[in-house]
Coordinates of all heavy atoms in Angstrom, one line a residue:
M1 N 0.8 -1.2 0.0 CA 0.0 0.0 0.0 C 0.9 1.2 0.0 O 1.7 1.4 0.9 CB -0.9 0.0 1.2 CG -1.9 1.1 1.3 SD -3.1 0.7 2.6 CE -2.9 2.1 3.6
L2 N 0.8 2.0 -1.0 CA 1.6 3.2 -1.1 C 0.8 4.4 -0.7 O -0.4 4.6 -1.0 CB 2.0 3.4 -2.6 CG 2.9 2.3 -3.2 CD1 3.1 2.6 -4.6 CD2 4.2 2.3 -2.4
F3 N 1.4 5.2 0.2 CA 0.7 6.4 0.6 C 1.1 7.6 -0.3 O 0.3 8.6 -0.3 CB 1.2 6.8 2.1 CG 0.7 5.7 3.1 CD1 1.6 4.9 3.6 CD2 -0.6 5.7 3.4 CE1 1.1 3.9 4.5 CE2 -1.1 4.8 4.3 CZ -0.2 3.8 4.9
S4 N 2.2 7.6 -0.9 CA 2.5 8.7 -1.8 C 3.4 8.2 -2.9 O 4.1 7.2 -2.8 CB 3.3 9.7 -0.9 OG 3.8 10.8 -1.7
K5 N 3.4 8.9 -4.0 CA 4.2 8.6 -5.1 C 5.7 8.9 -4.9 O 6.6 8.4 -5.5 CB 3.7 9.3 -6.4 CG 2.4 8.9 -6.9 CD 1.9 9.6 -8.1 CE 0.5 9.3 -8.5 NZ 0.0 10.0 -9.6
H6 N 5.9 9.8 -4.0 CA 7.3 10.3 -3.7 C 8.2 9.2 -3.1 O 9.4 9.1 -3.3 CB 7.3 11.5 -2.8 CG 6.6 12.7 -3.4 ND1 7.1 13.4 -4.4 CD2 5.3 13.2 -3.1 CE1 6.2 14.4 -4.7 NE2 5.2 14.2 -3.9
F7 N 7.6 8.3 -2.3 CA 8.3 7.3 -1.6 C 8.2 5.9 -2.2 O 8.5 4.9 -1.5 CB 7.9 7.3 -0.1 CG 8.1 8.6 0.6 CD1 7.0 9.4 0.9 CD2 9.4 9.0 0.9 CE1 7.2 10.6 1.6 CE2 9.6 10.3 1.5 CZ 8.5 11.0 1.9
S8 N 7.8 5.8 -3.4 CA 7.6 4.4 -4.0 C 8.9 3.7 -4.2 O 9.0 2.5 -4.2 CB 6.9 4.5 -5.3 OG 7.6 5.3 -6.2
S9 N 10.1 4.4 -4.3 CA 11.3 3.7 -4.6 C 12.2 3.7 -3.3 O 13.3 3.3 -3.4 CB 12.1 4.4 -5.7 OG 12.4 5.8 -5.3
Y10 N 11.6 4.0 -2.2 CA 12.4 4.1 -0.9 C 12.7 2.7 -0.4 O 11.8 1.8 -0.4 CB 11.6 4.8 0.2 CG 12.3 4.7 1.5 CD1 13.4 5.4 1.8 CD2 11.8 3.8 2.5 CE1 14.0 5.3 3.1 CE2 12.4 3.7 3.7 CZ 13.5 4.5 4.0 OH 14.1 4.3 5.2
Q11 N 13.9 2.4 0.0 CA 14.3 1.2 0.6 C 15.1 1.5 1.9 O 16.0 2.4 1.9 CB 15.2 0.3 -0.3 CG 14.5 -0.4 -1.4 CD 15.4 -1.4 -2.1 OE1 16.6 -1.2 -2.0 NE2 14.9 -2.3 -2.8
S12 N 14.7 0.9 3.0 CA 15.4 1.1 4.2 C 16.8 0.6 4.2 O 17.2 -0.3 3.3 CB 14.7 0.5 5.4 OG 14.7 -0.9 5.3
E13 N 17.7 1.0 5.1 CA 19.0 0.5 5.2 C 19.0 -1.0 5.5 O 19.9 -1.7 5.0 CB 19.8 1.2 6.3 CG 20.1 2.7 6.0 CD 20.9 3.4 7.1 OE1 21.5 2.7 7.8 OE2 20.8 4.6 7.1
A14 N 18.1 -1.5 6.3 CA 18.0 -2.9 6.6 C 17.7 -3.7 5.3 O 18.3 -4.8 5.1 CB 17.0 -3.2 7.7
T15 N 16.8 -3.2 4.5 CA 16.4 -3.9 3.3 C 17.6 -4.0 2.3 O 17.9 -5.0 1.7 CB 15.2 -3.2 2.6 OG1 14.1 -3.2 3.5 CG2 14.8 -4.0 1.4
K16 N 18.3 -2.8 2.2 CA 19.5 -2.8 1.3 C 20.6 -3.8 1.8 O 21.2 -4.4 1.0 CB 20.1 -1.4 1.3 CG 19.2 -0.4 0.6 CD 19.7 1.0 0.6 CE 18.8 2.0 0.0 NZ 19.3 3.4 0.1
F17 N 20.7 -3.8 3.2 CA 21.7 -4.7 3.7 C 21.4 -6.2 3.4 O 22.3 -7.0 3.0 CB 21.8 -4.5 5.2 CG 22.7 -5.5 5.9 CD1 24.1 -5.4 5.9 CD2 22.1 -6.5 6.7 CE1 24.9 -6.4 6.5 CE2 22.9 -7.5 7.3 CZ 24.3 -7.4 7.2
I18 N 20.1 -6.5 3.6 CA 19.7 -7.9 3.4 C 19.8 -8.3 1.9 O 20.3 -9.4 1.5 CB 18.3 -8.1 3.9 CG1 18.3 -8.1 5.4 CG2 17.7 -9.5 3.4 CD1 16.9 -8.1 6.0
D19 N 19.5 -7.4 1.0 CA 19.6 -7.6 -0.4 C 21.1 -7.8 -0.8 O 21.4 -8.7 -1.6 CB 19.0 -6.5 -1.2 CG 17.5 -6.5 -1.2 OD1 16.9 -7.5 -0.8 OD2 16.9 -5.4 -1.5
E20 N 22.0 -7.0 -0.2 CA 23.4 -7.1 -0.5 C 23.9 -8.4 0.0 O 24.8 -9.1 -0.6 CB 24.1 -5.9 0.1 CG 25.6 -5.8 -0.1 CD 26.2 -4.6 0.6 OE1 25.7 -3.6 0.6 OE2 27.3 -4.8 1.1
L21 N 23.5 -8.8 1.2 CA 24.0 -10.0 1.8 C 23.5 -11.2 1.0 O 24.3 -12.2 0.8 CB 23.4 -10.1 3.2 CG 23.9 -11.3 4.1 CD1 25.4 -11.1 4.4 CD2 23.1 -11.3 5.4
K22 N 22.3 -11.2 0.4 CA 21.8 -12.3 -0.4 C 22.6 -12.3 -1.7 O 22.8 -13.4 -2.3 CB 20.3 -12.1 -0.7 CG 19.5 -12.5 0.5 CD 18.0 -12.3 0.2 CE 17.1 -12.6 1.3 NZ 15.7 -12.5 1.0
Q23 N 23.0 -11.2 -2.2 CA 23.8 -11.2 -3.5 C 25.2 -11.7 -3.3 O 25.7 -12.5 -4.1 CB 23.9 -9.7 -4.0 CG 22.6 -9.2 -4.6 CD 22.7 -7.8 -5.1 OE1 23.8 -7.1 -4.8 NE2 21.7 -7.2 -5.7
K24 N 25.8 -11.4 -2.1 CA 27.1 -12.0 -1.8 C 27.0 -13.5 -1.6 O 28.0 -14.2 -1.9 CB 27.7 -11.3 -0.6 CG 28.1 -9.8 -0.9 CD 28.7 -9.2 0.4 CE 29.1 -7.8 0.2 NZ 29.6 -7.2 1.4
N25 N 26.0 -13.9 -0.9 CA 25.9 -15.3 -0.5 C 24.5 -15.9 -1.0 O 23.5 -15.8 -0.3 CB 25.9 -15.5 1.0 CG 26.0 -16.9 1.4 OD1 26.0 -17.8 0.6 ND2 26.1 -17.2 2.7
P26 N 24.5 -16.4 -2.3 CA 23.2 -16.8 -2.8 C 22.6 -18.1 -2.1 O 21.4 -18.3 -2.2 CB 23.5 -17.2 -4.3 CG 24.9 -17.0 -4.5 CD 25.5 -16.5 -3.2
N27 N 23.4 -18.8 -1.4 CA 22.9 -20.0 -0.7 C 22.4 -19.7 0.8 O 22.1 -20.6 1.5 CB 24.0 -21.0 -0.6 CG 24.4 -21.5 -1.9 OD1 23.7 -21.5 -2.9 ND2 25.7 -21.9 -2.0
L28 N 22.3 -18.4 1.1 CA 21.9 -18.0 2.4 C 20.6 -18.5 2.9 O 20.5 -19.1 4.0 CB 21.9 -16.5 2.5 CG 21.6 -15.9 3.9 CD1 22.8 -16.3 4.9 CD2 21.5 -14.4 3.8
E29 N 19.6 -18.4 2.1 CA 18.3 -18.9 2.4 C 18.3 -20.4 2.6 O 17.6 -20.9 3.5 CB 17.2 -18.5 1.4 CG 17.0 -17.0 1.4 CD 15.9 -16.6 0.5 OE1 14.9 -17.4 0.2 OE2 15.9 -15.5 -0.1
E30 N 19.0 -21.1 1.8 CA 19.0 -22.6 1.9 C 19.7 -23.0 3.2 O 19.3 -23.9 3.9 CB 19.8 -23.1 0.7 CG 19.9 -24.6 0.7 CD 20.7 -25.1 -0.5 OE1 20.5 -24.6 -1.6 OE2 21.5 -26.1 -0.3
Q31 N 20.8 -22.2 3.6 CA 21.5 -22.5 4.8 C 20.6 -22.2 6.0 O 20.6 -22.9 7.0 CB 22.8 -21.7 4.9 CG 23.8 -22.1 3.9 CD 25.0 -21.1 3.9 OE1 24.9 -20.0 4.5 NE2 26.0 -21.5 3.2
Q32 N 19.8 -21.2 5.9 CA 18.8 -20.8 7.0 C 17.8 -21.9 7.2 O 17.5 -22.3 8.3 CB 18.1 -19.5 6.7 CG 19.0 -18.3 6.9 CD 18.3 -17.0 6.5 OE1 17.5 -17.0 5.6 NE2 18.6 -15.9 7.2
R33 N 17.3 -22.4 6.1 CA 16.3 -23.5 6.2 C 16.9 -24.8 6.8 O 16.3 -25.5 7.6 CB 15.8 -23.8 4.8 CG 14.8 -22.8 4.3 CD 14.1 -23.2 3.0 NE 13.3 -22.1 2.5 CZ 13.8 -21.4 1.5 NH1 14.9 -21.7 0.8 NH2 13.0 -20.3 1.0
A34 N 18.2 -25.1 6.4 CA 18.8 -26.3 7.0 C 19.1 -26.1 8.5 O 18.9 -27.1 9.2 CB 20.2 -26.5 6.2
G35 N 19.4 -24.9 8.9 CA 19.6 -24.7 10.3 C 18.3 -24.7 11.1 O 18.3 -25.3 12.2
R36 N 17.3 -24.2 10.5 CA 16.0 -24.3 11.1 C 15.5 -25.8 11.2 O 15.0 -26.2 12.3 CB 14.9 -23.6 10.4 CG 13.6 -23.7 11.0 CD 12.5 -23.1 10.2 NE 11.2 -23.6 10.8 CZ 10.1 -23.4 10.3 NH1 9.9 -22.8 9.2 NH2 9.0 -23.8 10.9
A37 N 15.7 -26.6 10.2 CA 15.3 -28.0 10.2 C 16.1 -28.7 11.3 O 15.6 -29.6 12.0 CB 15.6 -28.6 8.9
L38 N 17.4 -28.3 11.5 CA 18.2 -29.0 12.5 C 17.8 -28.7 13.9 O 17.7 -29.6 14.7 CB 19.7 -28.5 12.3 CG 20.7 -29.1 13.3 CD1 20.9 -30.6 13.0 CD2 22.0 -28.3 13.1
L39 N 17.3 -27.5 14.1 CA 17.0 -27.1 15.5 C 15.5 -27.2 15.9 O 15.2 -27.4 17.0 CB 17.5 -25.7 15.8 CG 19.0 -25.5 15.7 CD1 19.4 -24.1 15.8 CD2 19.7 -26.4 16.8
W40 N 14.6 -26.9 14.9 CA 13.2 -26.6 15.2 C 12.3 -27.7 14.7 O 11.3 -28.0 15.3 CB 12.8 -25.2 14.8 CG 13.5 -24.2 15.6 CD1 14.6 -23.4 15.2 CD2 13.3 -23.8 16.9 NE1 15.0 -22.6 16.2 CE2 14.2 -22.8 17.3 CE3 12.4 -24.2 17.9 CZ2 14.3 -22.2 18.5 CZ3 12.4 -23.6 19.1 CH2 13.4 -22.6 19.4
D41 N 12.5 -28.1 13.4 CA 11.5 -28.9 12.8 C 11.6 -30.3 13.4 O 12.7 -30.9 13.4 CB 11.7 -29.0 11.3 CG 11.4 -27.7 10.6 OD1 10.8 -26.8 11.3 OD2 11.9 -27.5 9.5
K42 N 10.5 -30.8 13.9 CA 10.5 -32.1 14.5 C 9.5 -33.1 13.8 O 8.6 -32.7 13.2 CB 10.1 -32.0 16.0 CG 10.9 -31.0 16.8 CD 11.4 -31.6 18.0 CE 12.1 -30.6 18.9 NZ 13.3 -30.0 18.4
A43 N 9.8 -34.4 14.0 CA 8.9 -35.4 13.4 C 7.5 -35.3 14.2 O 7.5 -35.0 15.4 CB 9.5 -36.7 13.5
P44 N 6.4 -35.7 13.5 CA 5.2 -35.7 14.2 C 5.1 -36.7 15.3 O 5.8 -37.8 15.2 CB 4.2 -36.0 13.1 CG 5.0 -36.5 11.9 CD 6.3 -36.0 12.1
L45 N 4.3 -36.4 16.3 CA 4.2 -37.3 17.5 C 3.4 -38.5 17.1 O 2.3 -38.4 16.4 CB 3.6 -36.6 18.7 CG 4.4 -35.5 19.3 CD1 3.7 -34.8 20.4 CD2 5.7 -36.0 19.9
D46 N 3.8 -39.7 17.6 CA 2.9 -40.9 17.5 C 2.1 -40.9 18.8 O 2.6 -41.2 19.9 CB 3.9 -42.1 17.4 CG 3.1 -43.4 17.2 OD1 1.9 -43.3 17.0 OD2 3.7 -44.5 17.3
L47 N 0.8 -40.7 18.6 CA -0.1 -40.6 19.7 C -0.3 -42.0 20.5 O -0.4 -42.0 21.7 CB -1.5 -40.1 19.3 CG -1.5 -38.7 18.6 CD1 -2.9 -38.4 18.2 CD2 -1.0 -37.7 19.6
D48 N -0.2 -43.1 19.8 CA -0.3 -44.4 20.4 C 0.9 -44.6 21.3 O 0.8 -45.1 22.4 CB -0.4 -45.5 19.4 CG -1.7 -45.5 18.6 OD1 -2.7 -45.0 19.2 OD2 -1.7 -46.0 17.5
K49 N 2.1 -44.3 20.8 CA 3.3 -44.5 21.6 C 3.3 -43.6 22.8 O 3.7 -44.0 23.9 CB 4.5 -44.2 20.7 CG 5.8 -44.5 21.4 CD 7.0 -44.2 20.5 CE 8.3 -44.4 21.2 NZ 8.5 -43.7 22.5
T50 N 2.9 -42.4 22.6 CA 2.8 -41.4 23.7 C 1.9 -41.9 24.8 O 2.2 -41.8 26.0 CB 2.3 -40.0 23.2 OG1 3.2 -39.6 22.2 CG2 2.4 -39.0 24.3
A51 N 0.7 -42.4 24.4 CA -0.2 -43.0 25.4 C 0.3 -44.2 26.1 O 0.2 -44.3 27.3 CB -1.6 -43.3 24.7
R52 N 1.0 -45.1 25.4 CA 1.6 -46.3 26.0 C 2.7 -45.8 27.0 O 2.8 -46.4 28.1 CB 2.2 -47.2 24.9 CG 1.2 -48.0 24.2 CD 1.9 -49.1 23.4 NE 3.1 -48.6 22.6 CZ 3.0 -48.3 21.3 NH1 1.9 -48.5 20.6 NH2 4.1 -47.9 20.7
D53 N 3.5 -44.9 26.6 CA 4.6 -44.4 27.5 C 4.0 -43.8 28.8 O 4.5 -44.0 29.9 CB 5.4 -43.3 26.8 CG 6.3 -43.9 25.7 OD1 6.4 -45.1 25.7 OD2 6.8 -43.1 24.9
K54 N 2.9 -43.1 28.7 CA 2.2 -42.4 29.8 C 1.6 -43.5 30.7 O 1.7 -43.4 32.0 CB 1.2 -41.5 29.4 CG 0.6 -40.6 30.4 CD -0.4 -39.6 29.9 CE -0.9 -38.7 31.0 NZ -1.9 -37.7 30.5
E55 N 1.0 -44.5 30.2 CA 0.4 -45.6 31.0 C 1.5 -46.5 31.7 O 1.2 -47.0 32.8 CB -0.5 -46.5 30.1 CG -1.7 -45.8 29.6 CD -2.5 -46.6 28.6 OE1 -2.1 -47.8 28.3 OE2 -3.5 -46.2 28.1
S56 N 2.6 -46.7 31.1 CA 3.6 -47.6 31.6 C 4.5 -46.9 32.7 O 5.3 -47.5 33.3 CB 4.5 -48.1 30.5 OG 5.2 -47.1 29.9
R57 N 4.3 -45.6 32.9 CA 5.1 -44.9 33.8 C 4.7 -45.3 35.3 O 3.5 -45.3 35.6 CB 5.0 -43.4 33.6 CG 5.9 -42.5 34.4 CD 5.9 -41.1 34.0 NE 6.8 -41.0 32.8 CZ 6.8 -40.0 32.0 NH1 6.0 -39.0 32.1 NH2 7.6 -40.0 31.0
V58 N 5.7 -45.6 36.1 CA 5.4 -45.9 37.5 C 5.4 -44.6 38.3 O 6.3 -43.8 38.2 CB 6.5 -46.8 38.0 CG1 6.3 -47.2 39.5 CG2 6.6 -48.1 37.2
K59 N 4.3 -44.5 39.1 CA 4.2 -43.3 39.9 C 5.2 -43.3 41.0 O 5.4 -44.3 41.7 CB 2.8 -43.3 40.6 CG 2.5 -42.0 41.2 CD 1.0 -41.9 41.7 CE 0.9 -40.5 42.4 NZ -0.5 -40.3 42.8
Q60 N 5.8 -42.2 41.2 CA 6.9 -42.0 42.2 C 6.3 -41.4 43.5 O 5.4 -40.5 43.4 CB 8.0 -41.1 41.6 CG 9.1 -40.9 42.5 CD 10.2 -40.1 41.9 OE1 10.2 -39.9 40.7 NE2 11.1 -39.6 42.6
Q61 N 6.7 -41.8 44.6 CA 6.2 -41.2 45.9 C 6.7 -39.8 46.0 O 7.8 -39.4 45.5 CB 6.5 -42.1 47.1 CG 7.8 -42.8 47.0 CD 8.0 -43.6 48.3 OE1 7.6 -43.2 49.4 NE2 8.8 -44.7 48.2
P62 N 6.0 -39.0 46.8 CA 6.4 -37.6 46.9 C 7.8 -37.4 47.5 O 8.6 -36.5 47.0 CB 5.4 -37.0 47.9 CG 4.2 -37.9 47.8 CD 4.8 -39.2 47.5
Y63 N 8.2 -38.1 48.4 CA 9.5 -38.1 49.0 C 10.2 -39.4 48.8 O 9.9 -40.4 49.4 CB 9.5 -37.7 50.5 CG 10.8 -37.5 51.1 CD1 11.6 -36.4 50.7 CD2 11.4 -38.4 52.0 CE1 12.9 -36.2 51.2 CE2 12.6 -38.2 52.5 CZ 13.4 -37.1 52.1 OH 14.6 -36.9 52.6
V64 N 11.1 -39.5 47.8 CA 11.6 -40.8 47.3 C 12.5 -41.5 48.3 O 12.7 -42.7 48.3 CB 12.4 -40.6 46.0 CG1 11.5 -40.1 44.9 CG2 13.5 -39.6 46.2
Y65 N 13.0 -40.8 49.3 CA 14.0 -41.4 50.3 C 13.3 -42.0 51.5 O 13.9 -42.6 52.3 CB 15.0 -40.4 50.7 CG 15.8 -39.9 49.5 CD1 15.7 -38.6 49.1 CD2 16.7 -40.8 48.9 CE1 16.4 -38.2 48.0 CE2 17.5 -40.3 47.8 CZ 17.3 -39.1 47.3 OH 18.0 -38.6 46.3
Q66 N 12.0 -41.8 51.6 CA 11.2 -42.3 52.7 C 10.6 -43.7 52.4 O 10.0 -43.8 51.3 CB 10.1 -41.4 53.1 CG 9.3 -41.8 54.3 CD 8.2 -40.8 54.6 OE1 8.0 -39.9 53.9 NE2 7.5 -41.0 55.7
N67 N 10.9 -44.7 53.2 CA 10.4 -46.0 52.9 C 9.1 -46.3 53.7 O 9.1 -45.9 54.9 CB 11.5 -47.1 53.3 CG 12.7 -47.0 52.4 OD1 12.6 -46.6 51.3 ND2 13.8 -47.3 53.0
H68 N 8.2 -47.0 53.1 CA 7.0 -47.3 53.8 C 6.9 -48.8 54.1 O 7.1 -49.6 53.3 CB 5.7 -46.9 53.1 CG 5.6 -45.4 53.1 ND1 5.0 -44.8 54.2 CD2 5.8 -44.4 52.2 CE1 5.0 -43.5 53.9 NE2 5.4 -43.2 52.7

């Protein structure tokens, strides 16, 4: 959305920096996606396995060092 014809070609310093960085390193976006996949993207949860794990857990007493 343009407010005025005078500012239609304006680019901020941050936009210019990012464009210049992408020109210097054309693989930048691919590297970012690989880094994100490494740290954040996870496999979907198996609900059956999660339910089995929860059911098979042994309840721990509040104070573990006290014997009854």
Side-chain angles (χ1 to χ4, degrees):
M1 183 166 123
L2 297 175
F3 292 108
S4 174
K5 294 179 183 178
H6 300 288
F7 299 111
S8 63
S9 63
Y10 172 75
Q11 284 189 339
S12 69
E13 291 181 22
T15 303
K16 290 178 184 177
F17 172 76
I18 291 172
D19 290 341
E20 182 180 321
L21 189 63
K22 286 181 181 180
Q23 286 176 355
K24 288 181 182 177
N25 188 359
N27 298 331
L28 182 66
E29 290 183 32
E30 183 180 319
Q31 292 171 351
Q32 287 176 325
R33 285 190 191 101
R36 177 186 170 192
L38 179 68
L39 297 174
W40 295 102
D41 294 343
K42 305 230 185 297
L45 292 174
D46 181 10
L47 298 179
D48 292 333
K49 183 181 180 305
T50 305
R52 283 193 312 260
D53 290 346
K54 188 175 182 179
E55 289 174 2
S56 65
R57 189 168 279 165
V58 177
K59 187 173 181 179
Q60 184 175 344
Q61 36 179 330
Y63 186 68
V64 295
Y65 299 109
Q66 182 179 8
N67 296 328
H68 287 282

